[in-house]
Amino acid sequence: MSKNIYLPNYEHSENAHIQSMEQYRQMHKKSIESPAEFWSEIADQFYWENPYDVRNFYSFNFNVKSGPVQVKWMEGATTNVCFNLLDKNVRRGMGDKIAFYWEGNDPEDYSKITYKKLLEEVCRFANVMKSKGVVKGDRVAIYMPMILEIIIAMLACARIGAVHSIVFAGFSAESLAERMADCKCKVLITADSVYRGDKLLNIKNICDSAMERCQNFGHEVQTCIVVRHLPRLYRSTNHSNGTNGNASDVIDLHSDVSWTDGRDFWWHDEMDDVEPACYPVWMSAEDPLFMLYTSGSTGKPKGVLHTTGGYLLYAATTFKYVFDYHPSDIYWCTADVGWITGHSYVTYGPLANGATSIIFEGTPFYPDNSRYWSIIEKYKVTQFYTAPTAIRALMKFGEEPVKKHNLNSLKVLGSVGEPINPEAWLWYYKNIGNERCSIADTFWQTETGGHVITPLPGCTPMKPGSATFPFFGVNPILLDENGQVIEGVGEGYLVFNKPWPGMMRTLFGNHERYQSVYFSKFPGYYCTGDGARRDEDGYLWVTGRVDDMLNVSGHLMSTAEVESVLTEHPDVSEAAVVSRPHPIKGECLYCFVTPNSGVPFTPKLSSELIKKVRENIGPFAMPDVIQHAPGLPKTRSGKIMRRVLRKIAINDREVGDISTLADEHIVDELFRNRPEKT
Ligand code: WT7
């Protein structure tokens, strides 16, 4: 085994659900060889109105050549996801357990909700939706901040069999309109305002404009329900100053919320005086639970559809094992509910396990750069799950903000969204985890529904930057360009040849596109679109999107590999590397580099970086250009928009749609910063 390995903390292993690699391998083997047996034992822990048939537990076809692609688990069984998350836990005596601590953008603004209260609120809101004519199978769009009502809204949908389609509340009116029209939602649930950084934004206006644009697509949203979030903040701010807000202030503050009578309704008006009980609608295991749009390479978003039974099993099981969750733990996932991470690991997974979680409205930088660490200390968080981009952003401020806080409660640190570069991994491990915590570098996708490649805390020896081994039920395979299976050490396309219960079933209203995007490149396999490398110890290293792979003078490499070398330099905060066409080498490396705050970008730094890449990877990987990037073009979820960087690299101003960028101005700045002759 290579030296660069970090063993799990054996104090944690003693109590872990999976305590050794041997136990992991046994369970994984069983999950692959006898999926029905493996998953039905887990299904037994949930409530089924109509039982499943173990002899006919699942079926699938991944091969487009032998008929339509399909995946089914527990077909014929019926259940209700909301019932399993709430009623079942309340009936088990957990009614008074906290389901969520809500922490507002303002540290003075916080609240909490128990399982019993959450069930009541969900039932109330389910009744509100019924009164608006929402029935099983209807789509409901949700465009909301990180407030408890977003959880209530999604679970109320699940209770009555409506299909929620959450759109992250940072998308533009145009994007929201496109998504609402595509799924033909009957209702839109939103709030009056949302925080973006420390700015308060009126999102009802965005919704109004989106509903108007929807009509251009020939669709009309019938009902819009609006949470009054702003006056609550206002009142609580006043409260913390020792005074109480009064009714006239509240009305004043709302004078800028525009209203269409007959279509728009305040959440609190509707919730007043409705029954806090609502009988669940029993859903077939393969009925849709929710859809979630994810970007496609053609630009038109794809409505990834997840169904009831399999998703419930998978979200619950991955949550339990990947975070090694135990009943007294306090779990915190920083992802917005608007992304798949928020669906599976803020809402469904934690609640299915009766967990107590934190839901945070704000940003890591407000009121100061230690907000995350102060929340961990405040609630004694045991599992913390965030993204590499957040870690790298926080690394810039050094260890001081971290040291002010006691982070000893932590046991597990999670990472998600992109490959984590070893430097960020080590910083996270040392400074946040104090070298005691396991790091779960979870590889997965909107489409996979839950983690598919990940270490298990207390069990898996870790290698910084490797997502390690497959989760139960997942069988990863590497293929070369010709579809030949790569055994042992090697790098290729990451694909799967078997379904696991939580994977997507189709793209909403477009099964053709589902088949062509995911199953046509290599018939018989689900194609992730990512590349991966298997090392001499069998560890998997996800190298990034296949479209971020490049071939320099016949050498296949991933931009992520080079980025990770660049960010190892002590003066570099972030780096993004793209491929640029090259007359001789085919492609060459064009690197965007953000120095640490206060560090100037100099020719010396630039040549040090070129030298470093040459030394770490090889002369073939030597970058042709290192460009200073004061910032990188990122989506609001923190993903670097590489297609924009590729345009900057070739000095092509036709950058396409950049409305999903957190800060569009950075693009102009990067064009201005291009080194002259390149
Ligand atoms: C893509 C999926 C998974 C929820 C959030 C993103 C990349 C994600 C990792 C990881 C390397 C990762 C992949 C994947 N990705 N996690 N741990 N290591 N790459 O969901 O928006 O559907 O994006 O994110 O490229 O395909 P998504």
Side-chain angles (χ1 to χ4, degrees), residues 294 340-341 415-420 441-447 467 528-530 542 544-545 639:
T294 186
I340 189 67
T341 308
S415 169
V416 60
E418 55 178 311
I420 178 165
D441 173 2
T442 60
F443 167 80
W444 59 298
Q445 309 175 295
T446 303
E447 294 88 339
T528 59
D530 285 291
V542 177
R545 301 297 303 181
K639 271 208 166 54

Side-chain angles (χ1 to χ4, degrees), residues 329-330 358 375-383 409-410:
D329 289 345
I330 307 287
I358 288 159
I375 294 174
I376 292 174
E377 180 173 25
K378 173 176 172 186
Y379 295 98
K380 300 196 168 49
V381 170
T382 42
Q383 288 93 352
S409 55
L410 288 169

Side-chain angles (χ1 to χ4, degrees), residues 103-154:
E103 174 86 7
N105 179 69
D106 184 329
E108 304 280 343
D109 200 13
Y110 53 87
S111 66
K112 58 189 176 194
I113 191 164
T114 62
Y115 272 84
K116 183 158 158 272
K117 181 78 177 148
L118 183 57
L119 172 59
E120 283 175 18
E121 295 291 295
V122 166
C123 286
R124 273 205 185 89
F125 195 65
N127 287 326
V128 169
M129 283 200 289
K130 283 208 255 181
S131 77
K132 302 294 174 207
V134 178
V135 296
K136 178 179 169 179
D138 282 346
R139 273 80 57 210
V140 172
I142 298 178
Y143 186 83
M144 291 171 90
M146 288 285 279
I147 53 179
L148 292 173
E149 285 86 347
I150 189 170
I151 311 273
I152 295 168
M154 67 202 290

Side-chain angles (χ1 to χ4, degrees), residues 149-222:
E149 285 86 347
I150 189 170
I151 311 273
I152 295 168
M154 67 202 290
L155 295 180
C157 288
R159 196 159 190 92
I160 61 173
V163 180
H164 58 71
S165 171
I166 306 186
V167 178
F168 171 64
F171 275 109
S172 63
E174 185 62 30
S175 307
L176 174 59
E178 186 184 7
R179 286 159 177 74
M180 289 198 295
D182 185 74
C183 74
K184 301 199 169 45
C185 67
K186 200 179 246 180
V187 173
L188 166 63
I189 306 165
T190 188
D192 50 5
S193 52
V194 64
Y195 272 106
R196 252 325 113 238
D198 51 8
K199 284 196 292 282
L200 196 60
L201 235 131
N202 181 332
I203 57 165
K204 174 60 167 53
N205 285 344
I206 298 175
C207 289
D208 286 342
S209 141
M211 286 186 280
E212 204 179 301
R213 285 161 198 242
C214 246
Q215 300 187 350
N216 303 339
F217 297 105
H219 177 66
E220 177 143 16
V221 180
Q222 292 168 19

Side-chain angles (χ1 to χ4, degrees), residues 589-659:
L589 292 158
Y590 193 109
C591 311
F592 294 85
V593 169
T594 311
N596 283 326
S597 76
V599 174
F601 183 87
T602 56
K604 181 165 166 282
L605 175 59
S606 180
S607 57
E608 278 174 19
L609 290 172
I610 292 177
K611 185 160 162 267
K612 193 166 161 56
V613 176
R614 188 193 162 95
E615 281 169 2
N616 281 245
I617 305 179
F620 63 89
M622 247 173 69
D624 278 38
V625 184
I626 306 269
Q627 170 174 341
H628 178 213
L632 291 167
K634 288 185 187 170
T635 62
R636 292 182 184 87
S637 66
K639 271 208 166 54
I640 297 167
M641 225 190 244
R642 281 161 209 283
R643 101 182 137 70
V644 172
L645 294 177
R646 281 193 285 268
K647 292 286 188 181
I648 297 168
I650 56 173
N651 206 10
D652 177 357
R653 293 262 169 182
E654 300 288 312
V655 293
D657 180 14
I658 51 167
S659 65

